[in-house]
Amino acid sequence: MDDFSSDSDCTKYWIDWFLGAQGNEFFCEIDDEFLNDRFNMTGLNSEVQYYQYAMDLIMDTFERECDDPTREQIERSARHLYGLIHARYILTQRGLQKMLDKYKKGDFGVCPRVHCQRQPVLPIGLSDVPHSAPVKMFCMKCEDVYNPPSVRFASIDGAYFGTSFPFLLFQAYPHLIPNKTSPERFVPAIFGFKIHEHARLARWQESKRLELNKRLEQYEEEERRRKRAQ
C-alpha cells in the first residue's frame, strides 16, 4: 500500500484516500454507522497498537501532535485496523451488498482457468488470523483458489477478507452460484489420442463427482421430506 500523506486535504478524508490507494481496490467503504458502533469493535483494541489514535485517524478526528516515527506507526495501525474491521463488515447484509456490487462489476477479476470461461472471482483469506497469508482469489465455478492477478495485492492480508466471506455471499445470493453440473476438463493427448493414465484418472474423478451429486440430491430430498413432515 502507498504511504499515507500528511497533507490536511488527505487527513480530512482518510477512508477516501485508503480506498483510492493502489492495491486497495478489493476493499469496500465501511459505513460510518458501523464504525461508530463500539460493539462491532469488540476485541480489536488488544490487536492494534495505538488503537484509539488509529480509530481517530480513520474517523478523521485525529488532532494529536506527534513526531514522524509515531505518526507513521499510527498510520500503519489505522490501515491494519481498517482491514480487521472490513473483515467483519463484509459479513453484514450491507457489506455483502457492497461487495456484491464490486463482484458484478468485475472489480476482483476473473478466474485464470480456461474452462471457467472468465468466471468472476472473489477475494478470500486462507486464514482468519492476521499476518498468516496474503489475500487469494476464489472461483465458485471450479471451487479453487488462485493468486491475485497483480503483485500490488501481495501485501494485502487475507484476514482482511476472511475464510467465510465468499460462501456467505453465495448463501445470501444463491442465484449467482454458477452452473457446475458439467465441468469441462482439459485432457492431455498425443496426436489426438488420450494419455492412458490421465484418462483413467479422469474417469475416476468423474465417477466420484457423479457419486457426490447423487448423495447431495438424496440429502436435499430427505430435507424436503423432513420439512413437509414438520
Side-chain angles (χ1 to χ4, degrees):
M1 295 183 221
D2 294 347
D3 291 335
F4 183 77
S5 170
S6 59
D7 294 339
S8 59
D9 288 343
C10 291
T11 56
K12 187 177 181 181
Y13 306 106
W14 189 91
I15 293 180
D16 290 341
W17 164 82
F18 179 82
L19 297 176
Q22 188 178 41
N24 290 348
E25 293 87 348
F26 292 168
F27 291 92
C28 70
E29 182 178 358
I30 302 174
D31 294 332
D32 288 344
E33 183 180 356
F34 190 89
L35 290 170
N36 286 318
D37 189 337
R38 291 190 177 184
F39 177 77
N40 297 326
M41 310 299 135
T42 301
L44 295 182
N45 61 331
S46 62
E47 296 188 41
V48 179
Q49 188 179 15
Y50 297 112
Y51 168 80
Q52 190 56 57
Y53 293 146
M55 179 58 74
D56 290 343
L57 190 58
I58 292 173
M59 299 298 292
D60 301 318
T61 58
F62 183 79
E63 298 178 350
R64 183 176 183 270
E65 293 294 332
C66 54
D67 53 40
D68 289 343
T70 303
R71 174 78 182 196
E72 183 179 350
Q73 180 58 52
I74 294 172
E75 291 163 356
R76 188 178 299 112
S77 294
R79 295 193 292 269
H80 182 48
L81 178 58
Y82 191 91
L84 295 177
I85 299 172
H86 185 268
R88 299 181 178 186
Y89 177 70
I90 60 176
L91 300 184
T92 67
Q93 183 177 359
R94 179 61 176 158
L96 286 172
Q97 181 61 58
K98 287 189 176 183
M99 295 296 276
L100 175 62
D101 292 341
K102 294 174 70 66
Y103 172 76
K104 288 181 175 179
K105 290 188 295 183
D107 288 355
F108 306 123
V110 297
C111 181
R113 184 175 180 270
V114 173
H115 288 307
C116 283
Q117 301 174 337
R118 297 185 63 80
Q119 168 68 31
V121 294
L122 288 166
I124 189 174
L126 300 182
S127 173
D128 293 313
V129 179
H131 312 304
S132 297
V135 66
K136 303 296 182 182
M137 311 312 298
F138 173 75
C139 173
M140 190 62 180
K141 194 166 188 176
C142 63
E143 298 184 338
D144 210 342
V145 294
Y146 303 89
N147 289 321
S150 174
V151 294
R152 70 175 182 269
F153 302 113
S155 63
I156 304 299
D157 199 318
Y160 297 163
F161 299 88
T163 58
S164 302
F165 158 65
F167 314 108
L168 190 60
L169 185 140
F170 285 115
Q171 187 176 54
Y173 304 98
H175 62 283
L176 295 176
I177 298 177
N179 185 8
K180 300 188 291 292
T181 55
S182 300
E184 298 180 73
R185 294 179 180 275
F186 175 75
V187 181
I190 298 178
F191 300 115
F193 295 96
K194 295 180 181 179
I195 299 175
H196 176 69
E197 288 300 323
H198 188 279
R200 185 170 63 179
L201 174 61
R203 288 195 297 270
W204 178 83
Q205 291 175 326
E206 183 67 10
S207 67
K208 290 298 181 181
R209 184 186 67 81
L210 293 174
E211 180 183 336
L212 179 59
N213 284 342
K214 185 176 181 180
R215 290 171 58 188
L216 288 173
E217 290 174 1
Q218 291 175 342
Y219 173 77
E220 291 174 354
E221 179 62 26
E222 291 174 358
E223 282 293 299
R224 286 194 290 269
R225 291 176 180 175
R226 183 181 62 81
K227 290 180 180 179
R228 287 197 296 267
Q230 290 179 347

Short mmCIF file of all heavy atoms in Angstrom, two decimals, residues 25-84:
data_model
loop_
_atom_site.label_atom_id
_atom_site.label_comp_id
_atom_site.label_asym_id
_atom_site.label_seq_id
_atom_site.Cartn_x
_atom_site.Cartn_y
_atom_site.Cartn_z
N GLU A 25 -7.98 -1.94 -4.12
CA GLU A 25 -9.20 -1.99 -4.92
C GLU A 25 -10.20 -3.04 -4.43
O GLU A 25 -11.39 -2.95 -4.75
CB GLU A 25 -8.86 -2.27 -6.39
CG GLU A 25 -8.10 -1.15 -7.08
CD GLU A 25 -6.60 -1.25 -6.90
OE1 GLU A 25 -6.14 -2.04 -6.05
OE2 GLU A 25 -5.87 -0.52 -7.61
N PHE A 26 -9.74 -4.03 -3.68
CA PHE A 26 -10.65 -5.09 -3.22
C PHE A 26 -11.51 -4.64 -2.04
O PHE A 26 -12.53 -5.26 -1.74
CB PHE A 26 -9.87 -6.33 -2.80
CG PHE A 26 -9.20 -7.04 -3.94
CD1 PHE A 26 -8.26 -8.05 -3.70
CD2 PHE A 26 -9.50 -6.73 -5.26
CE1 PHE A 26 -7.64 -8.71 -4.75
CE2 PHE A 26 -8.88 -7.39 -6.32
CZ PHE A 26 -7.95 -8.39 -6.05
N PHE A 27 -11.11 -3.57 -1.35
CA PHE A 27 -11.84 -3.12 -0.17
C PHE A 27 -13.08 -2.31 -0.57
O PHE A 27 -13.08 -1.63 -1.60
CB PHE A 27 -10.96 -2.23 0.71
CG PHE A 27 -9.83 -2.96 1.39
CD1 PHE A 27 -8.58 -3.05 0.80
CD2 PHE A 27 -10.02 -3.57 2.62
CE1 PHE A 27 -7.53 -3.71 1.41
CE2 PHE A 27 -8.98 -4.23 3.26
CZ PHE A 27 -7.74 -4.31 2.64
N CYS A 28 -14.10 -2.38 0.26
CA CYS A 28 -15.28 -1.52 0.08
C CYS A 28 -15.31 -0.50 1.22
O CYS A 28 -14.59 -0.63 2.21
CB CYS A 28 -16.56 -2.34 0.07
SG CYS A 28 -17.02 -3.07 1.67
N GLU A 29 -16.12 0.51 1.06
CA GLU A 29 -16.24 1.56 2.08
C GLU A 29 -17.11 1.07 3.24
O GLU A 29 -18.21 0.58 3.03
CB GLU A 29 -16.84 2.82 1.48
CG GLU A 29 -16.94 3.96 2.48
CD GLU A 29 -17.48 5.24 1.87
OE1 GLU A 29 -17.74 5.24 0.64
OE2 GLU A 29 -17.66 6.23 2.59
N ILE A 30 -16.60 1.22 4.45
CA ILE A 30 -17.34 0.82 5.64
C ILE A 30 -18.23 1.99 6.08
O ILE A 30 -17.75 3.12 6.19
CB ILE A 30 -16.39 0.42 6.78
CG1 ILE A 30 -15.47 -0.72 6.32
CG2 ILE A 30 -17.17 0.02 8.02
CD1 ILE A 30 -14.40 -1.09 7.33
N ASP A 31 -19.49 1.72 6.34
CA ASP A 31 -20.42 2.77 6.75
C ASP A 31 -20.02 3.38 8.08
O ASP A 31 -19.52 2.69 8.98
CB ASP A 31 -21.85 2.20 6.88
CG ASP A 31 -22.40 1.74 5.54
OD1 ASP A 31 -21.99 2.30 4.52
OD2 ASP A 31 -23.25 0.83 5.54
N ASP A 32 -20.26 4.67 8.23
CA ASP A 32 -19.97 5.36 9.49
C ASP A 32 -20.75 4.75 10.64
O ASP A 32 -20.25 4.67 11.77
CB ASP A 32 -20.31 6.86 9.36
CG ASP A 32 -19.31 7.60 8.48
OD1 ASP A 32 -18.22 7.06 8.23
OD2 ASP A 32 -19.63 8.73 8.06
N GLU A 33 -21.97 4.34 10.36
CA GLU A 33 -22.80 3.74 11.41
C GLU A 33 -22.14 2.50 11.99
O GLU A 33 -22.17 2.28 13.20
CB GLU A 33 -24.18 3.38 10.83
CG GLU A 33 -25.15 2.80 11.86
CD GLU A 33 -26.49 2.47 11.26
OE1 GLU A 33 -26.71 2.76 10.06
OE2 GLU A 33 -27.34 1.92 11.98
N PHE A 34 -21.53 1.70 11.14
CA PHE A 34 -20.83 0.50 11.60
C PHE A 34 -19.59 0.87 12.39
O PHE A 34 -19.30 0.27 13.43
CB PHE A 34 -20.45 -0.36 10.40
CG PHE A 34 -19.94 -1.73 10.76
CD1 PHE A 34 -20.81 -2.79 10.92
CD2 PHE A 34 -18.57 -1.96 10.94
CE1 PHE A 34 -20.33 -4.06 11.26
CE2 PHE A 34 -18.09 -3.21 11.27
CZ PHE A 34 -18.98 -4.26 11.43
N LEU A 35 -18.87 1.88 11.93
CA LEU A 35 -17.65 2.31 12.61
C LEU A 35 -17.95 2.93 13.97
O LEU A 35 -17.14 2.82 14.90
CB LEU A 35 -16.90 3.32 11.75
CG LEU A 35 -16.24 2.77 10.47
CD1 LEU A 35 -15.76 3.92 9.60
CD2 LEU A 35 -15.09 1.83 10.81
N ASN A 36 -19.09 3.56 14.10
CA ASN A 36 -19.44 4.23 15.35
C ASN A 36 -20.03 3.30 16.40
O ASN A 36 -20.22 3.70 17.55
CB ASN A 36 -20.43 5.37 15.07
CG ASN A 36 -19.75 6.57 14.43
OD1 ASN A 36 -18.66 6.96 14.82
ND2 ASN A 36 -20.40 7.16 13.42
N ASP A 37 -20.35 2.08 16.01
CA ASP A 37 -20.92 1.10 16.95
C ASP A 37 -19.78 0.37 17.66
O ASP A 37 -19.07 -0.43 17.05
CB ASP A 37 -21.80 0.12 16.20
CG ASP A 37 -22.61 -0.78 17.13
OD1 ASP A 37 -22.19 -0.96 18.30
OD2 ASP A 37 -23.64 -1.31 16.70
N ARG A 38 -19.60 0.64 18.93
CA ARG A 38 -18.48 0.05 19.67
C ARG A 38 -18.57 -1.47 19.74
O ARG A 38 -17.55 -2.15 19.87
CB ARG A 38 -18.44 0.63 21.09
CG ARG A 38 -18.03 2.09 21.13
CD ARG A 38 -17.76 2.55 22.55
NE ARG A 38 -17.30 3.94 22.59
CZ ARG A 38 -16.92 4.55 23.69
NH1 ARG A 38 -16.95 3.90 24.86
NH2 ARG A 38 -16.50 5.80 23.65
N PHE A 39 -19.78 -2.01 19.66
CA PHE A 39 -19.93 -3.47 19.70
C PHE A 39 -19.19 -4.12 18.53
O PHE A 39 -18.63 -5.21 18.68
CB PHE A 39 -21.41 -3.84 19.65
CG PHE A 39 -21.67 -5.32 19.63
CD1 PHE A 39 -21.57 -6.08 20.78
CD2 PHE A 39 -21.99 -5.96 18.44
CE1 PHE A 39 -21.78 -7.45 20.76
CE2 PHE A 39 -22.21 -7.32 18.40
CZ PHE A 39 -22.11 -8.08 19.56
N ASN A 40 -19.18 -3.46 17.39
CA ASN A 40 -18.51 -4.00 16.21
C ASN A 40 -16.99 -4.02 16.36
O ASN A 40 -16.31 -4.70 15.60
CB ASN A 40 -18.88 -3.19 14.97
CG ASN A 40 -20.37 -3.27 14.66
OD1 ASN A 40 -21.01 -4.28 14.89
ND2 ASN A 40 -20.92 -2.17 14.16
N MET A 41 -16.47 -3.26 17.32
CA MET A 41 -15.03 -3.17 17.52
C MET A 41 -14.53 -4.06 18.66
O MET A 41 -13.36 -4.00 19.04
CB MET A 41 -14.63 -1.72 17.83
CG MET A 41 -15.18 -0.69 16.86
SD MET A 41 -14.61 -0.98 15.18
CE MET A 41 -16.15 -0.77 14.27
N THR A 42 -15.40 -4.89 19.19
CA THR A 42 -15.05 -5.72 20.33
C THR A 42 -13.77 -6.52 20.09
O THR A 42 -13.64 -7.24 19.09
CB THR A 42 -16.20 -6.71 20.64
OG1 THR A 42 -17.39 -5.97 20.92
CG2 THR A 42 -15.85 -7.56 21.86
N GLY A 43 -12.81 -6.38 20.98
CA GLY A 43 -11.56 -7.14 20.93
C GLY A 43 -10.47 -6.55 20.07
O GLY A 43 -9.32 -6.98 20.15
N LEU A 44 -10.80 -5.57 19.25
CA LEU A 44 -9.79 -5.03 18.33
C LEU A 44 -8.76 -4.16 19.03
O LEU A 44 -7.64 -4.00 18.55
CB LEU A 44 -10.46 -4.22 17.21
CG LEU A 44 -11.35 -5.03 16.26
CD1 LEU A 44 -11.92 -4.12 15.17
CD2 LEU A 44 -10.57 -6.19 15.63
N ASN A 45 -9.12 -3.57 20.18
CA ASN A 45 -8.17 -2.71 20.89
C ASN A 45 -6.95 -3.48 21.38
O ASN A 45 -5.88 -2.91 21.56
CB ASN A 45 -8.87 -2.01 22.06
CG ASN A 45 -9.43 -3.00 23.07
OD1 ASN A 45 -9.78 -4.13 22.71
ND2 ASN A 45 -9.53 -2.59 24.32
N SER A 46 -7.10 -4.79 21.57
CA SER A 46 -5.97 -5.60 22.02
C SER A 46 -5.13 -6.11 20.85
O SER A 46 -4.04 -6.65 21.05
CB SER A 46 -6.47 -6.80 22.84
OG SER A 46 -7.30 -7.64 22.05
N GLU A 47 -5.62 -5.94 19.62
CA GLU A 47 -4.92 -6.43 18.44
C GLU A 47 -4.19 -5.34 17.67
O GLU A 47 -3.37 -5.63 16.81
CB GLU A 47 -5.90 -7.14 17.50
CG GLU A 47 -6.55 -8.37 18.08
CD GLU A 47 -7.37 -9.12 17.05
OE1 GLU A 47 -6.90 -9.23 15.89
OE2 GLU A 47 -8.46 -9.59 17.38
N VAL A 48 -4.52 -4.08 17.97
CA VAL A 48 -3.97 -2.97 17.19
C VAL A 48 -3.26 -1.99 18.11
O VAL A 48 -3.85 -1.47 19.07
CB VAL A 48 -5.09 -2.23 16.42
CG1 VAL A 48 -4.50 -1.07 15.63
CG2 VAL A 48 -5.81 -3.20 15.49
N GLN A 49 -2.00 -1.74 17.82
CA GLN A 49 -1.25 -0.74 18.58
C GLN A 49 -1.79 0.65 18.28
O GLN A 49 -2.22 0.93 17.16
CB GLN A 49 0.24 -0.83 18.20
CG GLN A 49 1.15 0.03 19.06
CD GLN A 49 2.60 -0.11 18.66
OE1 GLN A 49 2.91 -0.62 17.58
NE2 GLN A 49 3.51 0.32 19.53
N TYR A 50 -1.79 1.51 19.28
CA TYR A 50 -2.34 2.87 19.12
C TYR A 50 -3.79 2.80 18.63
O TYR A 50 -4.19 3.57 17.75
CB TYR A 50 -1.51 3.69 18.13
CG TYR A 50 -0.09 3.94 18.55
CD1 TYR A 50 0.96 3.35 17.86
CD2 TYR A 50 0.22 4.76 19.63
CE1 TYR A 50 2.27 3.57 18.23
CE2 TYR A 50 1.53 5.00 20.01
CZ TYR A 50 2.56 4.39 19.31
OH TYR A 50 3.86 4.61 19.68
N TYR A 51 -4.55 1.88 19.20
CA TYR A 51 -5.91 1.63 18.70
C TYR A 51 -6.75 2.90 18.61
O TYR A 51 -7.34 3.20 17.56
CB TYR A 51 -6.61 0.60 19.60
CG TYR A 51 -8.10 0.51 19.34
CD1 TYR A 51 -8.59 -0.23 18.26
CD2 TYR A 51 -9.02 1.17 20.15
CE1 TYR A 51 -9.95 -0.32 18.01
CE2 TYR A 51 -10.38 1.10 19.90
CZ TYR A 51 -10.85 0.36 18.83
OH TYR A 51 -12.20 0.29 18.58
N GLN A 52 -6.83 3.67 19.70
CA GLN A 52 -7.70 4.85 19.70
C GLN A 52 -7.24 5.90 18.71
O GLN A 52 -8.05 6.51 18.01
CB GLN A 52 -7.80 5.44 21.11
CG GLN A 52 -8.89 6.51 21.24
CD GLN A 52 -10.26 5.99 20.81
OE1 GLN A 52 -10.77 5.00 21.35
NE2 GLN A 52 -10.87 6.65 19.83
N TYR A 53 -5.93 6.11 18.64
CA TYR A 53 -5.40 7.07 17.68
C TYR A 53 -5.69 6.61 16.24
O TYR A 53 -6.01 7.42 15.36
CB TYR A 53 -3.90 7.27 17.86
CG TYR A 53 -3.53 7.93 19.17
CD1 TYR A 53 -2.35 7.58 19.83
CD2 TYR A 53 -4.35 8.90 19.74
CE1 TYR A 53 -1.99 8.19 21.03
CE2 TYR A 53 -3.99 9.52 20.93
CZ TYR A 53 -2.83 9.16 21.58
OH TYR A 53 -2.48 9.76 22.77
N ALA A 54 -5.55 5.31 16.02
CA ALA A 54 -5.83 4.76 14.69
C ALA A 54 -7.30 4.95 14.32
O ALA A 54 -7.62 5.31 13.19
CB ALA A 54 -5.45 3.28 14.65
N MET A 55 -8.18 4.73 15.29
CA MET A 55 -9.60 4.92 15.04
C MET A 55 -9.92 6.39 14.77
O MET A 55 -10.72 6.73 13.88
CB MET A 55 -10.42 4.42 16.23
CG MET A 55 -11.94 4.59 16.07
SD MET A 55 -12.61 3.77 14.60
CE MET A 55 -12.52 2.05 15.13
N ASP A 56 -9.27 7.27 15.52
CA ASP A 56 -9.47 8.71 15.29
C ASP A 56 -9.03 9.09 13.88
O ASP A 56 -9.67 9.92 13.23
CB ASP A 56 -8.68 9.53 16.32
CG ASP A 56 -9.27 9.41 17.72
OD1 ASP A 56 -10.42 8.98 17.85
OD2 ASP A 56 -8.54 9.74 18.69
N LEU A 57 -7.93 8.49 13.42
CA LEU A 57 -7.44 8.79 12.08
C LEU A 57 -8.44 8.32 11.03
O LEU A 57 -8.74 9.04 10.06
CB LEU A 57 -6.08 8.12 11.87
CG LEU A 57 -5.31 8.52 10.62
CD1 LEU A 57 -5.04 10.03 10.58
CD2 LEU A 57 -3.99 7.75 10.55
N ILE A 58 -8.97 7.12 11.21
CA ILE A 58 -9.96 6.59 10.28
C ILE A 58 -11.21 7.47 10.24
O ILE A 58 -11.78 7.73 9.17
CB ILE A 58 -10.34 5.14 10.66
CG1 ILE A 58 -9.15 4.20 10.44
CG2 ILE A 58 -11.55 4.66 9.86
CD1 ILE A 58 -9.38 2.79 10.94
N MET A 59 -11.62 7.96 11.41
CA MET A 59 -12.83 8.77 11.52
C MET A 59 -12.57 10.25 11.26
O MET A 59 -13.46 11.09 11.42
CB MET A 59 -13.44 8.59 12.93
CG MET A 59 -13.85 7.15 13.24
SD MET A 59 -15.13 6.53 12.15
CE MET A 59 -16.52 7.54 12.66
N ASP A 60 -11.34 10.60 10.88
CA ASP A 60 -10.97 11.98 10.57
C ASP A 60 -11.11 12.92 11.76
O ASP A 60 -11.49 14.08 11.61
CB ASP A 60 -11.81 12.51 9.40
CG ASP A 60 -11.63 11.68 8.14
OD1 ASP A 60 -10.48 11.30 7.84
OD2 ASP A 60 -12.63 11.40 7.46
N THR A 61 -10.83 12.39 12.96
CA THR A 61 -10.89 13.22 14.17
C THR A 61 -9.54 13.29 14.87
O THR A 61 -9.46 13.73 16.01
CB THR A 61 -11.95 12.68 15.14
OG1 THR A 61 -11.64 11.32 15.49
CG2 THR A 61 -13.34 12.73 14.53
N PHE A 62 -8.49 12.83 14.20
CA PHE A 62 -7.16 12.80 14.81
C PHE A 62 -6.56 14.21 14.80
O PHE A 62 -6.40 14.83 13.75
CB PHE A 62 -6.25 11.85 14.04
CG PHE A 62 -4.89 11.69 14.63
CD1 PHE A 62 -4.69 10.85 15.71
CD2 PHE A 62 -3.80 12.37 14.11
CE1 PHE A 62 -3.42 10.70 16.27
CE2 PHE A 62 -2.54 12.22 14.64
CZ PHE A 62 -2.34 11.38 15.74
N GLU A 63 -6.22 14.71 15.99
CA GLU A 63 -5.68 16.07 16.10
C GLU A 63 -4.41 16.11 16.94
O GLU A 63 -3.91 17.19 17.24
CB GLU A 63 -6.73 17.00 16.72
CG GLU A 63 -8.00 17.13 15.88
CD GLU A 63 -9.04 18.02 16.53
OE1 GLU A 63 -8.84 18.37 17.73
OE2 GLU A 63 -10.04 18.37 15.87
N ARG A 64 -3.88 14.97 17.34
CA ARG A 64 -2.72 14.92 18.22
C ARG A 64 -1.44 15.26 17.47
O ARG A 64 -1.21 14.79 16.37
CB ARG A 64 -2.61 13.53 18.84
CG ARG A 64 -1.48 13.38 19.86
CD ARG A 64 -1.55 11.98 20.48
NE ARG A 64 -0.54 11.81 21.51
CZ ARG A 64 0.68 11.35 21.30
NH1 ARG A 64 1.08 11.06 20.08
NH2 ARG A 64 1.52 11.21 22.31
N GLU A 65 -0.61 16.09 18.08
CA GLU A 65 0.71 16.40 17.53
C GLU A 65 1.68 15.30 17.95
O GLU A 65 1.74 14.92 19.12
CB GLU A 65 1.20 17.76 18.05
CG GLU A 65 0.39 18.94 17.56
CD GLU A 65 0.52 19.15 16.05
OE1 GLU A 65 1.58 18.76 15.50
OE2 GLU A 65 -0.43 19.67 15.44
N CYS A 66 2.43 14.76 16.99
CA CYS A 66 3.39 13.70 17.31
C CYS A 66 4.53 13.73 16.31
O CYS A 66 4.43 14.33 15.23
CB CYS A 66 2.70 12.33 17.31
SG CYS A 66 1.81 11.95 15.79
N ASP A 67 5.64 13.07 16.68
CA ASP A 67 6.79 13.06 15.78
C ASP A 67 6.53 12.12 14.60
O ASP A 67 5.59 11.33 14.60
CB ASP A 67 8.06 12.63 16.53
CG ASP A 67 7.89 11.32 17.26
OD1 ASP A 67 7.24 10.40 16.69
OD2 ASP A 67 8.39 11.18 18.39
N ASP A 68 7.35 12.22 13.60
CA ASP A 68 7.13 11.46 12.37
C ASP A 68 7.11 9.95 12.57
O ASP A 68 6.23 9.27 12.01
CB ASP A 68 8.19 11.84 11.33
CG ASP A 68 7.99 13.25 10.79
OD1 ASP A 68 6.87 13.78 10.97
OD2 ASP A 68 8.94 13.81 10.20
N PRO A 69 8.03 9.37 13.36
CA PRO A 69 8.00 7.92 13.55
C PRO A 69 6.70 7.46 14.21
O PRO A 69 6.13 6.42 13.83
CB PRO A 69 9.21 7.65 14.46
CG PRO A 69 10.14 8.78 14.16
CD PRO A 69 9.26 9.97 13.96
N THR A 70 6.23 8.22 15.21
CA THR A 70 4.98 7.85 15.87
C THR A 70 3.80 7.99 14.92
O THR A 70 2.90 7.14 14.88
CB THR A 70 4.73 8.74 17.11
OG1 THR A 70 5.85 8.61 18.00
CG2 THR A 70 3.46 8.32 17.83
N ARG A 71 3.81 9.07 14.15
CA ARG A 71 2.74 9.29 13.17
C ARG A 71 2.69 8.15 12.16
O ARG A 71 1.61 7.65 11.81
CB ARG A 71 3.00 10.61 12.45
CG ARG A 71 2.06 10.91 11.30
CD ARG A 71 0.72 11.40 11.77
NE ARG A 71 -0.18 11.64 10.64
CZ ARG A 71 -1.28 12.34 10.74
NH1 ARG A 71 -1.63 12.89 11.89
NH2 ARG A 71 -2.07 12.52 9.70
N GLU A 72 3.86 7.71 11.72
CA GLU A 72 3.92 6.63 10.75
C GLU A 72 3.36 5.34 11.34
O GLU A 72 2.64 4.60 10.66
CB GLU A 72 5.37 6.42 10.30
CG GLU A 72 5.53 5.35 9.24
CD GLU A 72 6.96 5.18 8.79
OE1 GLU A 72 7.80 6.03 9.16
OE2 GLU A 72 7.25 4.21 8.07
N GLN A 73 3.66 5.09 12.62
CA GLN A 73 3.15 3.89 13.27
C GLN A 73 1.63 3.96 13.42
O GLN A 73 0.94 2.95 13.26
CB GLN A 73 3.81 3.71 14.64
CG GLN A 73 3.34 2.47 15.40
CD GLN A 73 3.58 1.20 14.62
OE1 GLN A 73 4.70 0.95 14.17
NE2 GLN A 73 2.54 0.38 14.45
N ILE A 74 1.11 5.13 13.76
CA ILE A 74 -0.33 5.30 13.89
C ILE A 74 -1.02 5.06 12.55
O ILE A 74 -2.07 4.42 12.47
CB ILE A 74 -0.67 6.69 14.44
CG1 ILE A 74 -0.17 6.82 15.89
CG2 ILE A 74 -2.18 6.95 14.38
CD1 ILE A 74 -0.30 8.22 16.47
N GLU A 75 -0.41 5.58 11.48
CA GLU A 75 -0.98 5.39 10.15
C GLU A 75 -0.97 3.91 9.75
O GLU A 75 -1.94 3.40 9.17
CB GLU A 75 -0.20 6.23 9.14
CG GLU A 75 -0.42 7.73 9.33
CD GLU A 75 0.64 8.58 8.62
OE1 GLU A 75 1.58 7.99 8.06
OE2 GLU A 75 0.52 9.81 8.65
N ARG A 76 0.11 3.21 10.11
CA ARG A 76 0.18 1.77 9.83
C ARG A 76 -0.88 1.02 10.64
O ARG A 76 -1.53 0.10 10.12
CB ARG A 76 1.58 1.26 10.18
CG ARG A 76 1.82 -0.19 9.73
CD ARG A 76 3.23 -0.65 10.05
NE ARG A 76 4.22 0.16 9.37
CZ ARG A 76 5.07 0.99 9.98
NH1 ARG A 76 5.02 1.13 11.29
NH2 ARG A 76 5.94 1.68 9.29
N SER A 77 -1.08 1.44 11.87
CA SER A 77 -2.10 0.82 12.71
C SER A 77 -3.50 1.08 12.16
O SER A 77 -4.38 0.23 12.22
CB SER A 77 -2.00 1.34 14.14
OG SER A 77 -0.79 0.93 14.75
N ALA A 78 -3.71 2.28 11.61
CA ALA A 78 -5.01 2.63 11.05
C ALA A 78 -5.33 1.73 9.85
O ALA A 78 -6.48 1.26 9.69
CB ALA A 78 -5.04 4.09 10.63
N ARG A 79 -4.35 1.47 9.02
CA ARG A 79 -4.56 0.59 7.87
C ARG A 79 -4.90 -0.83 8.33
O ARG A 79 -5.79 -1.48 7.78
CB ARG A 79 -3.33 0.60 6.95
CG ARG A 79 -3.06 1.95 6.30
CD ARG A 79 -2.04 1.82 5.18
NE ARG A 79 -0.72 1.48 5.65
CZ ARG A 79 0.22 2.37 5.97
NH1 ARG A 79 -0.04 3.66 5.90
NH2 ARG A 79 1.42 1.97 6.36
N HIS A 80 -4.17 -1.29 9.33
CA HIS A 80 -4.42 -2.63 9.86
C HIS A 80 -5.80 -2.70 10.52
O HIS A 80 -6.55 -3.67 10.31
CB HIS A 80 -3.33 -2.99 10.87
CG HIS A 80 -3.46 -4.37 11.45
ND1 HIS A 80 -3.67 -5.49 10.68
CD2 HIS A 80 -3.42 -4.80 12.75
CE1 HIS A 80 -3.74 -6.56 11.47
NE2 HIS A 80 -3.60 -6.16 12.72
N LEU A 81 -6.15 -1.67 11.27
CA LEU A 81 -7.45 -1.64 11.95
C LEU A 81 -8.58 -1.63 10.93
O LEU A 81 -9.58 -2.35 11.09
CB LEU A 81 -7.54 -0.41 12.86
CG LEU A 81 -8.87 -0.21 13.60
CD1 LEU A 81 -9.20 -1.42 14.47
CD2 LEU A 81 -8.81 1.06 14.45
N TYR A 82 -8.44 -0.84 9.87
CA TYR A 82 -9.49 -0.79 8.86
C TYR A 82 -9.66 -2.18 8.22
O TYR A 82 -10.79 -2.62 7.97
CB TYR A 82 -9.14 0.24 7.78
CG TYR A 82 -10.30 0.51 6.85
CD1 TYR A 82 -11.22 1.53 7.12
CD2 TYR A 82 -10.49 -0.25 5.68
CE1 TYR A 82 -12.29 1.77 6.27
CE2 TYR A 82 -11.56 -0.01 4.83
CZ TYR A 82 -12.45 1.00 5.13
OH TYR A 82 -13.52 1.24 4.29
N GLY A 83 -8.56 -2.86 7.99
CA GLY A 83 -8.65 -4.20 7.41
C GLY A 83 -9.38 -5.18 8.32
O GLY A 83 -10.20 -5.97 7.86
N LEU A 84 -9.09 -5.12 9.61
CA LEU A 84 -9.76 -6.02 10.56
C LEU A 84 -11.25 -5.72 10.67
O LEU A 84 -12.08 -6.63 10.76
CB LEU A 84 -9.10 -5.90 11.94
CG LEU A 84 -7.64 -6.36 12.03
CD1 LEU A 84 -7.09 -6.12 13.44
CD2 LEU A 84 -7.50 -7.84 11.65
#
